[in-house]
Amino acid sequence: MRKPRDFDAELKALEDKARELKTRKVQQLGELVIATGADQLSTDELAGALVAIAETKDPAKREAWAKRGVTFFESRSRRTAPASQRNPRSAPAQPGSPQSPASGTGSA
């Protein structure tokens, strides 16, 4: 005979996992802001820049930001990891991903 599913326990586990993922995302975004030097901007400047970037639909601009982001992460990887442990990013950043717009500069 099958054991009945405990939907409440499953739902709580999913909520806990979602909370954990959100916390990790917030931490990683904060680390990204610091790593790029954007923590030197005022909150208003940073928010304004991010809003402008998020509103940008120009694929060429977004691709340029993505390439600049890849270069940023690859150069950091080379500086911090021994040659035998380097793992350059193989896939370009997706438009709208945190590493894409936050690492480049430009206006909308």
Side-chain angles (χ1 to χ4, degrees), residues 31-83:
E31 291 170 356
L32 181 62
V33 168
I34 292 167
T36 59
D39 60 326
Q40 301 300 312
L41 300 171
S42 73
T43 305
D44 291 339
E45 289 171 319
L46 183 57
L50 290 172
V51 167
I53 290 167
E55 291 173 347
T56 298
K57 304 296 182 217
D58 180 354
K61 238 180 218 185
R62 294 181 73 95
E63 181 61 26
W65 290 332
K67 287 178 182 176
R68 190 165 178 180
V70 169
T71 301
F72 172 80
F73 284 111
E74 286 176 348
S75 68
R76 284 184 55 85
S77 173
R78 279 188 223 103
R79 282 183 275 148
T80 59

